[in-house]
Amino acid sequence: MTKDLDSEQKFSRSAYADGPRLLADIGATHARFALETAPGVLRAVRVLKCDDYPGIVPLLHSYLADHEGIRINHGAFALANPISGDMIRMTNRDWQFSTDEVRRELGLSTLLIVNDFTALAMSLPGLSGQDLMQVGGGAPAANAVVGVLGPGTGLGVSGVIPTIDGFVTLGSEGGHMNFAPADEREFAILQFAWKEWPHVSNERLISGPGMEIIYRALAHRNGVKAAPRTSPDIISGALEQHDPLCIETLECFSGMLGGAAANLAVTLGAFGGIFIGGGIVPRMAEWFATSPFRARFEAKGRFTDYLAQIPTYVIMTPNPAFYGVATILSEHLRGRSGANTLMERVQHLQHELSPAEQRVATLVLEHPRKVLGEPIAEIARLADVSQPTVIRFCRSLGFLGLADFKLKFASSLTGTIPVRHSQVRVSDSTHDLSAKVIDNTVSAILKFRDQLDVVSIDRAIQLLRKANRVEFYAMGNSRVVALDGQHKFFRFRIPTASYGDSHLFTLAAELLKPGDVVIAISTAGEQPELLAAVEAARTAGADVIAITGSKSALAKKASICLAVDHSEDSTTFLSMISRILQLLLIDIMSVGISLGAAEEGEPDKRRLLISHLDL
């Protein structure tokens, strides 16, 4: 599309009230750009070569130079790279950049950057029959998981999970799984690749550069002298010149891709289908339809019938990642409920805030990820305000405090889903069981974070700040948590004791006085001795903070319950994750006590080596 024709489109008259949206699909070789002027309507599509630019900012300025008169507020980029945090270092290019710095450089209110195959996966629900070419049989199941992979400069892998209110994409680096040969020929190719790399992933062979390695490996195996060819040359050599070595290369390549697609299908249970994207397969689509791909896909032994039900498609529409990244941006801007994003709320309410609160708002708008990652003391320092001002800013926006604000703010800035629970099995290797234990714990912590009762935690911190004495009561596995709490609180110069002997609970509780606090810790919350001690403490006038299940007997007897409702079979297994969640509550209360002391001008009295503080 020419610049003159672009001008005639009058992008400023976008169907979006805040103007057209900048979309980009940036790979290792090419960067594709477009302006979305209405849902699904792309204008000014342009392809630039990444080699022509020293970094992402000059690349963006080159595209935007043709649209200087158009105000662009929101952008979303798909990037052929893992995405984690604000700083991005590209794998296949010597580029690195800060998302926030790029956003400010372009003058955008919103800039989302997601993995390119996350974007491609998000485009799949919107593709129709004319966008796809089915290879082989099978029919998609309704509301089923979908898998996507695509060879290009690398091998992208992702998936789409249907939910009650839309779709969720999986952030994945599945292209780096080990390559598994299926026959002697593929093993010979693997041995050839081992001469160059000690670890050969699927991406090393099932990609454009990988096709070139397959070509060289087959030439070596067949005793043929062959001049080096690029992957486009190999494809044209097979389809146009009917070169035997090129044809064998494509056959190997398509078979390997079929094996990788089958592994993805059984891993995800992808009865919604497996979709092949990337820039290579569409170039040989007609040949690919009768290639070894589908036969290899179904060659799964006992699971042949399972895979025969799953359809496989080649994505034929150009620039599908645009539609995926546009969907992600649209959902980000409107939220699931149709409300404005939190960033927009801050912008709209900024003029109604006090001058000090406006400085916090400016910090949030200019450095959103820094606000997410820093403690309240650092946020206050960066905004040049007091810590209570930060809290007032959060409450002015309708949140309970900084923690509540960060939870909602984080969900509006990210798009991938956390890991899920995986059962450890007897047959697992040490690597697998280590990964599962860590993933299960991370998943539980994220769920716990989203369900925190901030009001109860705040009340507990207020009690502890004023406590004359704090005693910890716990039995069994929770005893370790109690000892950790005693160690931390004692360093705040709070008279502290810990009891793990059920015979001493009630005796200790009867000696308490008003102004004293008991922290009772129990996973089940049903031990009779602990319940009796809590009753005695309440009778003596002390307050009781229970760290236990929200429905337990202990929770009902306590002054405040800090709920840990993670379900574990404590009759058979040690309560591993519940213990970690209990320890987190101890840490949260410890940091809360330190903040209170700092606000009261007593930093040396109670702020002792708390790692989350930087005052």
Side-chain angles (χ1 to χ4, degrees):
M1 187 177 287
T2 66
K3 185 175 179 180
D4 289 341
L5 186 57
D6 287 347
S7 300
E8 293 174 7
Q9 299 295 337
K10 299 184 183 299
F11 300 130
S12 58
R13 287 201 234 156
S14 166
Y16 294 123
D18 48 5
R21 298 170 179 180
L22 174 63
L23 307 179
D25 179 12
I26 302 174
T29 306
H30 294 97
R32 295 168 173 82
F33 294 94
L35 296 179
E36 186 187 32
T37 58
V41 179
L42 304 180
R43 305 293 188 191
V45 176
R46 187 177 173 193
V47 181
L48 301 177
K49 289 185 177 180
C50 295
D51 283 342
D52 294 341
Y53 302 92
I56 192 170
V57 172
L59 174 72
L60 291 164
H61 280 312
S62 177
Y63 174 76
L64 293 173
D66 291 338
H67 311 289
E68 292 181 351
I70 301 169
R71 173 59 182 162
I72 300 173
N73 291 292
H74 308 296
F77 303 165
L79 197 68
N81 210 73
I83 307 299
S84 177
D86 175 67
M87 184 58 64
I88 295 173
R89 293 173 175 82
M90 293 189 65
T91 304
N92 295 319
R93 296 205 68 82
D94 187 23
W95 291 359
Q96 65 178 34
F97 58 91
S98 159
T99 301
D100 283 338
E101 288 179 3
V102 172
R103 180 184 63 81
R104 292 196 301 275
E105 174 70 23
L106 299 182
L108 300 176
S109 300
T110 307
L111 176 57
L112 301 183
I113 297 184
V114 301
N115 176 265
D116 59 338
F117 264 75
T118 298
L120 180 61
M122 202 63 181
S123 74
L124 299 183
L127 298 182
S128 60
Q130 62 185 8
D131 301 317
L132 305 169
M133 179 187 78
Q134 183 166 354
V135 179
N143 299 317
V145 175
V146 167
V148 58
L149 72 168
T153 305
L155 178 66
V157 176
S158 188
V160 181
I161 300 174
T163 67
I164 194 169
D165 57 354
F167 299 90
V168 174
T169 59
L170 290 173
S172 170
E173 289 298 323
H176 297 285
M177 294 175 61
N178 287 20
F179 172 72
D183 54 30
E184 181 276 332
R185 184 172 63 178
E186 290 185 5
F187 183 64
I189 294 170
L190 176 60
Q191 288 179 308
F192 184 88
W194 271 336
K195 295 176 183 178
E196 190 166 350
W197 303 291
H199 171 257
V200 178
S201 65
N202 279 337
E203 182 176 271
R204 291 294 193 188
L205 297 176
I206 310 172
S207 62
M211 184 182 291
E212 297 164 16
I213 294 170
I214 295 171
Y215 177 83
R216 297 200 306 271
L218 290 176
H220 176 77
R221 177 177 181 269
N222 297 345
V224 175
K225 290 185 178 180
R229 290 179 184 252
T230 64
S231 55
D233 290 339
I234 294 170
I235 294 173
S236 62
L239 304 185
E240 298 170 14
Q241 302 160 22
H242 307 291
D243 180 88
L245 184 58
C246 292
I247 293 172
E248 186 179 7
T249 299
L250 291 196
E251 289 175 347
C252 275
F253 178 87
S254 61
M256 292 174 178
L257 181 57
N263 288 337
L264 180 62
V266 296
T267 299
L268 296 180
F271 283 97
I274 294 291
F275 292 73
I276 307 299
I280 293 177
V281 176
R283 296 180 194 167
M284 52 179 180
E286 185 177 351
W287 178 90
F288 188 79
T290 57
S291 74
F293 168 82
R294 183 68 191 191
R296 177 70 174 278
F297 179 80
E298 295 184 14
K300 208 70 171 173
R302 293 172 297 166
F303 272 71
T304 294
D305 291 341
Y306 179 98
L307 286 161
Q309 304 174 59
I310 298 176
T312 50
Y313 305 93
V314 176
I315 301 171
M316 301 299 293
T317 189
N319 303 319
F322 281 156
Y323 299 100
V325 80
T327 299
I328 293 171
L329 177 60
S330 180
E331 291 191 357
H332 170 85
L333 291 176
R334 70 171 180 264
R336 294 292 187 183
S337 64
N340 289 332
T341 65
L342 190 46
M343 291 279 278
E344 289 176 330
R345 284 177 58 191
V346 173
Q347 285 180 316
H348 292 158
L349 294 175
Q350 190 172 11
H351 69 282
E352 300 178 10
L353 303 175
S354 69
E357 291 171 358
Q358 287 180 12
R359 290 200 291 274
V360 181
T362 299
L363 179 66
V364 169
L365 294 172
E366 294 184 353
H367 303 280
R369 286 176 176 81
K370 186 173 286 292
V371 170
L372 278 179
E374 297 293 349
I376 187 171
E378 180 64 9
I379 294 171
R381 187 190 70 79
L382 291 170
D384 193 23
V385 299
S386 66
Q387 293 179 30
T389 297
V390 176
I391 301 300
R392 285 196 297 272
F393 163 78
C394 297
R395 290 175 177 168
S396 295
L397 293 173
F399 298 99
L400 297 173
L402 181 60
D404 190 31
F405 171 78
K406 282 187 174 184
L407 287 177
K408 304 300 190 300
F409 194 33
S411 66
S412 74
L413 291 179
T414 57
T416 56
I417 67 173
V419 295
R420 298 295 191 228
H421 182 83
S422 301
Q423 183 66 46
V424 176
R425 306 200 180 279
V426 175
S427 59
D428 283 343
S429 66
T430 303
H431 177 273
D432 289 339
L433 72 88
S434 300
K436 286 182 177 181
V437 169
I438 292 171
D439 285 354
N440 292 345
T441 303
V442 170
S443 182
I445 290 173
L446 292 174
K447 182 179 180 181
F448 182 63
R449 179 196 67 181
D450 294 339
Q451 296 175 347
L452 278 177
D453 183 349
V454 180
V455 174
S456 294
I457 291 175
D458 191 50
R459 289 175 55 209
I461 291 172
Q462 295 302 324
L463 278 180
L464 293 169
R465 286 177 179 172
K466 301 175 182 177
N468 298 319
R469 179 179 178 81
V470 176
E471 292 188 350
F472 291 85
Y473 298 171
M475 299 170 64
N477 201 39
S478 298
R479 176 80 171 124
V480 176
V481 181
L483 290 172
D484 180 74
Q486 181 199 16
H487 175 73
K488 285 188 172 71
F489 286 23
F490 183 75
R491 296 184 66 171
F492 295 138
R493 305 297 189 265
I494 301 174
T496 309
S498 177
Y499 297 97
D501 186 337
S502 60
H503 299 291
L504 297 179
F505 284 165
T506 303
L507 292 176
E510 290 173 348
L511 297 176
L512 295 173
K513 300 175 183 177
D516 295 338
V517 176
V518 169
I519 299 180
I521 307 168
S522 172
T523 300
E526 303 294 341
Q527 297 99 328
E529 300 89 346
L530 188 59
L531 297 176
V534 167
E535 287 185 354
R538 296 295 302 274
T539 300
D543 288 296
V544 175
I545 299 171
I547 300 179
T548 186
S550 60
K551 306 297 183 182
S552 67
L554 177 59
K556 296 174 183 176
K557 292 181 178 295
S559 311
I560 299 170
C561 175
L562 304 183
V564 176
D565 287 323
H566 183 79
S567 178
E568 289 182 280
D569 182 4
S570 57
T571 61
T572 307
F573 302 103
L574 290 175
S575 298
M576 298 169 62
I577 293 178
S578 295
R579 170 179 51 84
I580 292 174
L581 301 181
Q582 292 167 354
L583 286 167
L584 283 172
L585 286 172
I586 295 293
D587 286 352
I588 291 170
M589 290 188 289
S590 299
V591 175
I593 293 170
S594 290
L595 286 177
E599 289 176 2
E600 294 166 9
E602 301 175 343
D604 296 329
K605 182 178 179 182
R606 290 190 174 178
R607 182 179 58 81
L608 298 174
L609 300 179
I610 295 297
S611 64
H612 293 277
L613 294 184
D614 183 16
L615 301 177

